[in-house]
Amino acid sequence: MKLSDKIIYALSTLILIIFIAFTFVFCFSYLSCFSCAKNTPVCAGEILSVYIYGRSEDSISARITVNSFDGSELFTVERSWHSKNLYVSFIRLDFSEKKFIFPSKVYIKQSNTFHKGISFSKFLFEKNMFLLSPPNFIPKEASSFYNLARFAYRPSSSVFSKNVGTEVFDLTVLESGVEYNFFWSGESLSLQKN
């Protein structure tokens, strides 16, 4: 066997092992979501608020605040975007007959396929804690909620479209100078004028 054949064989074996390991880890985390959902109470509350400062022909200014399910403010994004349209998206999970929602990102569409924006996930995880968790969760519930959120924010989780979905809202239709709240009832997401 030539050296080049040995290298190709070794590389293909390594790639196969990595693929199998990735598939195993992903399937394990997917299947664990069912038990995590059973261990996690359904959360409800105001999870995001939006205030449109104003808009011009080619820009929109807004303040977006993400709250934990107990209503405490976690972080705020306040800025202008060079676009006529502004969107906010949420990730929806449905496991073990329970539904969960997580704020995903605020973004503008620069084309049909490219979206530029701010992902909320980098602000929501801290030292093995998911900051949206209500403070009254016992450790087992908080850990299960953390695992659900980790799965939800993985880009590869959307493969399971039966259990994972996205809800998108066009913020351009909102009035300037009025605060709006996104409220999760435990079943559905609604937008309410404050």
Side-chain angles (χ1 to χ4, degrees):
M1 198 182 239
K2 291 194 259 181
L3 179 63
S4 61
D5 291 341
K6 288 180 181 179
I7 292 173
I8 291 172
Y9 178 76
L11 283 175
S12 61
T13 303
L14 180 66
I15 291 170
L16 181 63
I17 290 169
I18 291 170
F19 176 76
I20 290 170
F22 174 79
T23 303
F24 176 77
V25 168
F26 186 77
C27 288
F28 177 78
S29 64
Y30 170 73
L31 293 173
S32 71
C33 285
F34 290 94
S35 64
C36 287
K38 287 179 184 175
N39 295 331
T40 306
V42 174
C43 300
E46 176 194 317
I47 57 171
L48 191 132
S49 64
V50 177
Y51 184 87
I52 305 292
Y53 290 116
R55 55 179 58 88
S56 67
E57 207 169 288
D58 63 346
S59 70
I60 184 167
S61 298
R63 178 185 71 227
I64 290 115
T65 302
V66 175
N67 303 309
S68 67
F69 281 102
D70 71 344
S72 58
E73 183 179 311
L74 295 176
F75 65 90
T76 299
V77 175
E78 193 170 15
R79 60 167 288 191
S80 292
W81 287 267
H82 295 289
S83 176
K84 292 180 181 181
N85 299 317
L86 183 63
Y87 303 89
V88 67
S89 66
F90 297 85
I91 302 167
R92 181 187 36 75
L93 290 183
D94 189 354
F95 286 101
S96 298
E97 298 181 14
K98 290 184 180 176
K99 295 179 182 173
F100 302 91
I101 195 101
F102 306 107
S104 176
K105 63 184 170 183
V106 58
Y107 64 94
I108 59 174
K109 283 185 182 179
Q110 292 191 317
S111 69
N112 285 341
T113 56
F114 180 69
H115 302 163
K116 184 177 178 183
I118 299 169
S119 173
F120 298 145
S121 64
K122 62 185 171 186
F123 304 108
L124 294 173
F125 293 94
E126 186 176 279
K127 298 179 186 174
N128 292 332
M129 290 178 51
F130 183 54
L131 300 179
L132 281 178
S133 299
N136 63 342
F137 272 10
I138 61 173
K140 183 177 182 179
E141 294 168 343
S143 175
S144 293
F145 198 51
Y146 172 85
N147 290 331
L148 286 169
R150 273 283 175 217
F151 181 80
Y153 284 105
R154 273 193 199 124
S156 55
S157 67
S158 61
V159 170
F160 297 99
S161 60
K162 178 183 174 194
N163 301 94
V164 182
T166 303
E167 294 193 31
V168 177
F169 289 85
D170 184 354
L171 302 179
T172 314
V173 300
L174 304 181
E175 293 176 48
S176 297
V178 177
E179 183 141 7
Y180 292 87
N181 300 312
F182 285 91
F183 184 82
W184 176 248
S185 70
E187 285 290 321
S188 64
L189 188 63
S190 62
L191 179 64
Q192 301 169 351
K193 204 180 214 183
N194 200 3

